[in-house]
Amino acid sequence: QIIHYNSPDDRGVDVALLYQEKYFHVVESKPYSILLKLANGDTKKTRDVLLVKGYLEQQLVFILVNHWPSRRGGEIITKPYRLQTAQLNRHIVDSLQSIHPDANYIIMGDLNDNPDNESLTVGIRAIGVKNKVGKEDLYNPFYWNYDRGEGSTSFNDSWSLFDQILISENLLHQKGGYFLYHRSIASSSSAGSNS
């Protein structure tokens, strides 16, 4: 199944969630509009953030689907737009966690920034080390890939890892039949530090 809303993006780009009804039961969904504040004081519309609430079997999950503003025009000039979008995601998660502290949160999409950019590390508080993730933080498992030079897009012979999935601390530590994040490492030499 698909959840999709038309967003006000100038190029007609939208976000959507594809899911299997057999495993995920949708309760509700909502698009959050973003009005970017430009340096000259004007505003600009961009892609919505899609929030979907549902149950993965018996586990309450909130999913935020994103496609953050691009770097077209230069990374430095466009950095504030991705930071604003990251802060909206952080605000949504904080608001929901105050009501549903035991729920699970997943933020995903093309973020147009790398795991070590300010939008991820400060704007959304995504941490790349599992044992340092606090109750209100998010874990970015893709930091591991990025740290090893892997990416999802290449420009001028340089890799970037813009496509990421962030998860809440609950998905790292819950017990008793809940779904948990687990990284499977093919090489036994690195398994001890990443499992």
Side-chain angles (χ1 to χ4, degrees):
Q1 297 295 319
I2 183 170
I3 298 175
H4 166 263
Y5 296 89
N6 287 320
S7 72
D9 181 73
D10 291 341
R11 294 183 292 161
V13 178
D14 300 329
V15 296
L17 179 70
L18 296 173
Y19 68 97
Q20 292 186 7
E21 287 181 293
K22 181 179 177 181
Y23 303 107
F24 186 63
H25 171 70
V26 174
V27 175
E28 60 184 314
S29 62
K30 174 184 178 180
Y32 280 83
S33 297
I34 307 168
L35 201 58
L36 298 173
K37 297 174 184 174
L38 307 183
N40 63 6
D42 291 340
T43 57
K44 177 184 177 183
K45 294 178 180 177
T46 187
R47 276 114 20 202
D48 294 337
V49 174
L50 173 61
L51 172 66
V52 179
K53 174 184 178 181
Y55 284 89
L56 190 58
E57 293 195 0
Q58 302 303 314
Q59 192 168 352
L60 179 60
V61 180
F62 292 92
I63 301 173
L64 287 89
V65 186
N66 290 262
H67 188 168
W68 290 3
S70 76
R71 295 184 172 201
R72 189 172 49 176
E75 177 187 352
I76 301 301
I77 292 172
T78 59
K79 174 183 173 180
Y81 311 148
R82 290 183 296 282
L83 189 55
Q84 290 172 46
T85 309
Q87 290 167 338
L88 172 62
N89 276 265
R90 185 72 250 180
H91 174 73
I92 294 168
V93 170
D94 287 345
S95 298
L96 290 169
Q97 280 184 325
S98 68
I99 302 167
H100 305 283
D102 296 326
N104 302 276
Y105 299 87
I106 300 171
I107 297 176
M108 63 173 66
D110 177 354
L111 308 184
N112 274 308
D113 264 341
N114 288 307
D116 63 348
N117 286 129
E118 185 180 353
S119 60
L120 276 299
T121 59
V122 177
I124 210 163
R125 291 201 322 267
I127 296 172
V129 181
K130 278 174 66 172
N131 61 10
K132 292 187 177 180
V133 178
K135 189 71 177 167
E136 296 178 358
D137 298 319
L138 294 165
Y139 174 56
N140 189 346
F142 286 82
Y143 207 105
W144 186 89
N145 303 86
Y146 180 69
D147 201 35
R148 284 152 183 76
E150 299 173 3
S152 57
T153 183
S154 179
F155 180 72
N156 288 339
D157 294 326
S158 177
W159 281 106
S160 295
L161 210 168
F162 292 167
D163 302 293
Q164 300 167 58
I165 301 172
L166 316 175
I167 59 176
S168 61
E169 187 263 353
N170 284 349
L171 285 165
L172 298 177
H173 304 298
Q174 281 183 343
K175 305 295 180 198
Y178 282 86
F179 290 95
L180 293 172
Y181 169 79
H182 175 74
R183 179 188 296 278
S184 177
I185 305 297
S187 170
S188 60
S189 63
S190 60
S193 60
N194 299 299
S195 58

